[in-house]
Amino acid sequence: MVRRINVTGSNGLRLAAWEFADPPKGSTEPDKVPEMSARFVSGAGPVRPPGARTRTGAAGVDVRGVKSEEAPKGVLLLHGLMGRAAHWADTARWLSSGYRAVGLDQRGHGRSERPLGADGSFAREAFVEDAEAAIEQLGLGPLALIGHSMGALTAWQLAAKRPDLVHALVICDMKASALGERSQREWEQWFDSWPVPFATSADVRKWFGEDDPSLERPSASRGAFFAEVMAEGEDGWRPMFSRRQMLAVREAWVHDAHWDELARVVCPTLVVRGIDGELGRAEAQEMVRVLPRGIYAEVPEAGHLLHLDQPVDWRRVVEPFLQAVLPADS
């Protein structure tokens, strides 16, 4: 069961949040979105739990108008570039046994609104303000943030800005170092290589999972990832997002390093990398050193999409970490 909740982001942008759990009694029938067949990580050490926490938001009433004396602690899930909240469906479902797990379609992604102008609509601050607004409107804080790639950067920038809202953080395969101009040009060339429109959804899976020249080895989860972000039109299957806008989104972070913001994150933070992912071991361990309360974990036989590549191991890493630093209500 999936429920869509509309929230208002920075500058009034309309955003779609998704709760992947059974709705509470008395609520309306949830919207349904296609399920993703995903796969997910491995072992965090002991962590010292933070101090006592109190929930914020409307006292005893959640945003759906359902009375709740003891609402569960919140988790907000932030996808990566070109992704959507549905990529977190499996994670959100096992989280929902103890937490209120919500995935957010970030601006320009999924079912959220696409900004029209280039007037700072894709600045880093806009993404951070969107997540901040979603947490406050949904009454989720203080909460845990889980972010993948671009979503992880948004998550740690928000944790640095609002330590009162974020009591635990999971960074999934995202670098703190600058990627540079060459990286941006390579992405432009890669976008130009896409054989759009695709004739069928199966063609989408095959090209991104097997035929894409940028692939080092076949990846079924990568094919599934992109199948989730394509929509069928009159001439075939095309991305739900604008590739031009995705380049603009990426332009806002690739030229800068983000170590200073990382150092300002005071909550317990798990840095997770796939062995074959984009975040190297040396940089991940340096990120853990810079973080005041950082913990390192890695996932064998996983790439950049590690939460989809190895879903069981992903859960083995994240679940004990969250239980240690932000225990679910019994």
Side-chain angles (χ1 to χ4, degrees), residues 45-50 53 99 318-327:
V47 201
R48 202 176 38 197
R53 304 161 196 84
Y99 300 89
V318 174
E319 194 168 36
F321 169 76
L322 289 180
Q323 283 294 341
V325 301
L326 193 71

Side-chain angles (χ1 to χ4, degrees), residues 32 72 93 188 207 293:
K32 295 179 175 62
R93 289 190 178 110
E188 289 179 4
W207 195 82
R293 303 174 72 182

Side-chain angles (χ1 to χ4, degrees), residues 186-313:
E186 288 172 349
W187 270 69
E188 289 179 4
Q189 294 165 9
W190 179 58
F191 276 146
D192 289 342
S193 75
W194 290 17
V196 291
F198 294 90
T200 68
S201 180
D203 290 335
V204 174
R205 289 176 181 267
K206 186 173 186 300
W207 195 82
F208 287 102
E210 300 176 26
D211 298 340
D212 182 350
S214 69
L215 268 178
E216 292 184 1
R217 61 182 64 86
S219 172
S221 60
R222 189 173 186 265
F225 175 97
F226 281 98
E228 282 287 318
V229 294
M230 298 283 170
E232 186 176 17
E234 292 182 0
D235 61 347
W237 292 77
R238 294 180 178 273
M240 298 169 62
F241 49 80
S242 158
R243 285 176 285 174
R244 176 186 57 80
Q245 288 191 344
M246 293 301 101
L247 285 172
V249 171
R250 199 171 183 273
E251 186 82 33
W253 88 72
V254 295
H255 304 292
D256 301 315
H258 305 281
W259 296 99
D260 289 347
E261 295 151 307
L262 201 66
R264 296 200 302 271
V265 175
V266 296
C267 67
T269 302
L270 180 66
V271 178
V272 190
R273 62 177 288 268
I275 291 293
D276 298 317
E278 296 178 6
L279 176 61
R281 180 181 282 114
E283 181 165 348
Q285 291 176 343
E286 180 63 11
M287 289 169 67
V288 169
R289 189 192 68 79
V290 168
L291 284 157
R293 303 174 72 182
I295 302 163
Y296 174 80
E298 57 187 31
V299 186
E301 299 182 22
H304 181 57
L305 299 171
L306 56 96
H307 57 306
L308 307 181
D309 291 335
Q310 299 295 341
V312 174
D313 286 336

Side-chain angles (χ1 to χ4, degrees), residues 81-102:
L81 188 70
M82 302 179 291
R84 60 185 299 193
H87 288 130
W88 289 116
D90 283 2
T91 296
R93 289 190 178 110
W94 59 255
L95 282 170
S96 68
S97 64
Y99 300 89
R100 184 178 178 209
V102 177

